[in-house]
Amino acid sequence: MTAGRESTRQRIINVAARLLGESGPAAVTTRAVAQAAALQPPAIYRLFEDKDALLDAVAEHVFAAYVAGKQQALQHDDPIAELRAGWETNIGFALANPGVYSLLTDVSRGARSPAFRAGTQVLRDKVHRIAEAGRLRVSERRAVEMIQAAGTGAILTLLATAPAERDTSLTDAVYDAVVRAILTDAPVLDPADTTAAVVAFRTVVPRLGALTEAERTLLNQWLDRAAG
């Protein structure tokens, strides 16, 4: 793509992102975007197949910038505090960008979004550090899925409520409930809590250089089964 075409494409995305933020996905029409960008509608179709392709590009642009900021953020010494900070940041982004969030919660869009996958990896990394600290009572995969499900549900509930009527303490209550379900009370492992021990041990398997790759794969399979 030439520099001129890329510049025009970015101008269209920026204008569409502004319209999306101000009035939601319905406002991002070809005519409205063309008018705001001082272009003729055919110019948009030369760069984007249709409105859905434009919305995909806008959602990716906004969310990619957000995820890049999360990736560059300093890690907390306490992985639990880091998880809480990430939760609050994600809630804040969704409430500030409801149009983008509604696009990303569309299963077909989220599944093909590199930025969405990068955001999930940021969460996986946070959960992995908690597992290394011996604080997970469920597998890393289950913890990630529970956090995502709880966060999405809480956000969609708030977005479906008029801003003046939203009870933002809902997200705190949901977070506390998830934490009780996935974390142990302390890093000291209870001998009876075999799942926490298994999950913590699994984080060191990649560093067991005395084992072959096949042996590490088999050990991971056993540990996954033991963790349920």
Side-chain angles (χ1 to χ4, degrees):
M1 184 179 293
T2 65
R5 283 175 62 85
E6 178 57 32
S7 176
T8 300
R9 183 179 186 276
Q10 192 58 52
R11 175 152 54 111
I12 292 170
I13 290 174
N14 290 340
V15 166
R18 177 172 58 79
L19 292 174
L20 178 65
E22 291 173 352
S23 306
V28 187
T29 65
T30 302
R31 176 177 295 182
V33 172
Q35 182 177 3
L39 296 168
Q40 294 298 318
I44 296 177
Y45 288 117
R46 284 194 291 270
L47 293 167
F48 302 95
E49 181 179 351
D50 52 25
K51 177 182 174 179
D52 279 345
L54 175 56
L55 286 172
D56 283 346
V58 171
E60 188 69 16
H61 170 72
V62 177
F63 195 63
Y66 164 65
V67 171
K70 289 178 65 176
Q71 290 172 324
Q72 294 171 4
L74 293 175
Q75 295 181 10
H76 288 255
D77 291 334
D78 180 356
I80 308 301
E82 184 180 50
L83 180 65
R84 180 60 184 258
W87 171 277
E88 292 177 350
T89 299
N90 197 53
I91 298 295
F93 170 82
L95 295 182
N97 300 274
V100 172
Y101 193 80
S102 68
L103 295 176
L104 292 170
T105 51
D106 179 322
V107 176
S108 61
R109 275 198 174 88
R112 64 176 182 261
S113 165
F116 186 83
R117 292 194 295 272
T120 299
Q121 186 58 51
V122 170
L123 175 58
R124 290 195 187 103
D125 292 342
K126 293 180 187 299
V127 168
H128 183 69
R129 285 189 282 276
I130 292 172
E132 288 180 319
R135 295 291 304 274
L136 274 188
R137 66 168 75 251
V138 299
S139 70
E140 291 183 48
R141 176 177 176 177
R142 176 56 62 88
V144 168
E145 291 174 344
M146 290 178 69
I147 293 167
Q148 286 183 318
T152 300
I155 290 168
L156 291 179
T157 298
L158 290 180
L159 291 179
T161 306
E165 299 176 3
R166 288 175 186 167
D167 178 5
T168 54
S169 68
L170 170 69
T171 60
D172 293 332
V174 171
Y175 179 82
D176 290 342
V178 173
V179 163
R180 286 195 297 271
I182 69 173
L183 301 185
T184 60
D185 292 333
V188 178
L189 299 178
D190 181 345
D193 191 350
T194 56
T195 298
V198 167
V199 172
F201 179 64
R202 195 186 189 288
T203 67
V204 305
V205 172
R207 303 197 295 273
L208 298 179
L211 300 181
T212 66
E213 183 62 32
E215 289 169 336
R216 285 194 294 271
T217 298
L218 181 58
L219 180 55
N220 276 326
Q221 291 174 349
W222 288 340
L223 292 172
D224 285 344
R225 188 185 309 168

